Amino acid sequence: LIGAVLFSIGHDKGYRIKGLTLKKTSTVEMTVSEPGAWVFIGERPIHKTDGHDAQISITDVEPGLQLVTVIKDSYFPWAKRLDIPSDSKLTLYPFLLKQDLEAEPVLFGYDSFSKVSKYFNNPINTPQTSYETKEHRISIIESSISIECLEECSVPPINLETPPTSIHQFLNNPNVVIYTTSREIWVSELVADLRISYKIFEGNDLEMFPEKDGLFIKSSGNFYRIDL
């Protein structure tokens, strides 16, 4: 009876038995930008977001290897298999990208054609090769994208086969970069662990002009828009 009471008290305080070791559970925090997304720990659904930029705190997560997944219909799933320490707080930065992104031509006579044409043809608007967030300074250095922490941390660069030509923050997510090479446009996480990247466009002599919810592209002298 005493053992059962002690076990119950330990369980309520977040202790779990892993093998022959008693370990305390942990907390996983994240911000999910899309409403209607499901968060899973292993195969167990934990939370469904109901608004943009939902702040999620998942308590009582068992330490050890855990698969954390964020899914939403018509979006690429975000998944990381993580070794979660005992009695810790882990912050994750998931991002969801629409599947089947389409580049729509921006033709002469469209409302946006004049604005886009002026932007790309203005010599003042040179490709952006560096920018800062609250935590990082991101810049192009030869054939890589350097990620310098403004406070103490260490993040390896994104090494590429083809030199990048421009970089921007992806939408309102400071932990994701969108970048061009001469022939491709990619979206990539900044984090080092199991970094997730997607190619979203192919063309020639590429330039890009990000907007709040989309991206204007110049390829071989033609203009396109992708709704992100």
Side-chain angles (χ1 to χ4, degrees):
L1 179 60
I2 295 176
V5 171
L6 292 175
F7 177 83
S8 177
I9 293 173
H11 191 279
D12 290 342
K13 290 184 177 295
Y15 287 95
R16 300 291 185 272
I17 296 175
K18 295 282 288 185
L20 299 176
T21 306
L22 188 65
K23 294 185 177 181
K24 195 170 184 181
T25 57
S26 298
T27 299
V28 174
E29 296 182 342
M30 66 182 75
T31 301
V32 179
S33 59
E34 292 292 333
W38 274 102
V39 179
F40 286 75
I41 302 290
E43 297 182 356
R44 183 164 58 103
I46 300 296
H47 184 89
K48 185 177 183 181
T49 60
D50 57 5
H52 288 281
D53 297 326
Q55 305 289 325
I56 301 169
S57 181
I58 305 169
T59 59
D60 204 28
V61 178
E62 291 193 14
L65 285 176
Q66 295 281 8
L67 179 63
V68 182
T69 310
V70 182
I71 62 172
K72 181 180 178 180
D73 287 345
S74 301
Y75 285 73
F76 290 106
W78 181 94
K80 295 287 180 77
R81 188 175 295 278
L82 305 169
D83 190 0
I84 298 176
S86 175
D87 193 20
S88 65
K89 180 182 289 186
L90 186 66
T91 302
L92 304 179
Y93 305 97
F95 82 100
L96 295 174
L97 182 71
K98 293 178 181 176
Q99 296 177 353
D100 302 323
L101 291 174
E102 294 187 6
E104 298 289 340
V106 179
L107 303 175
F108 181 79
Y110 282 34
D111 292 340
S112 56
F113 181 87
S114 177
K115 177 178 69 173
V116 176
S117 178
K118 287 180 180 178
Y119 178 87
F120 283 121
N121 292 320
N122 189 335
I124 297 177
N125 296 322
T126 57
Q128 179 170 276
T129 58
S130 65
Y131 69 93
E132 286 189 9
T133 68
K134 291 182 178 180
E135 298 181 359
H136 302 100
R137 180 181 296 110
I138 299 95
S139 56
I140 293 174
I141 299 180
E142 298 180 347
S143 292
S144 67
I145 298 174
S146 170
I147 306 161
E148 180 184 351
C149 297
L150 301 181
E151 298 182 0
E152 186 176 353
C153 73
S154 178
V155 182
I158 301 172
N159 295 312
L160 308 172
E161 294 182 0
T162 304
T165 54
S166 66
I167 54 176
H168 289 268
Q169 178 176 299
F170 178 71
L171 299 178
N172 64 340
N173 192 331
N175 298 290
V176 181
V177 61
I178 182 169
Y179 64 88
T180 61
T181 67
S182 61
R183 299 178 63 88
E184 298 173 342
I185 299 179
W186 286 77
V187 177
S188 177
E189 293 181 307
L190 298 182
V191 297
D193 296 333
L194 305 174
R195 185 177 275 152
I196 296 174
S197 301
Y198 299 103
K199 181 169 62 177
I200 64 170
F201 189 84
E202 288 185 90
N204 293 288
D205 302 321
L206 293 177
E207 299 177 47
M208 66 176 173
F209 166 28
E211 282 206 319
K212 181 180 179 181
D213 58 353
L215 182 70
F216 286 109
I217 300 167
K218 182 180 179 181
S219 174
S220 300
N222 298 313
F223 305 137
Y224 302 87
R225 188 182 191 280
I226 295 179
D227 181 9
L228 299 173

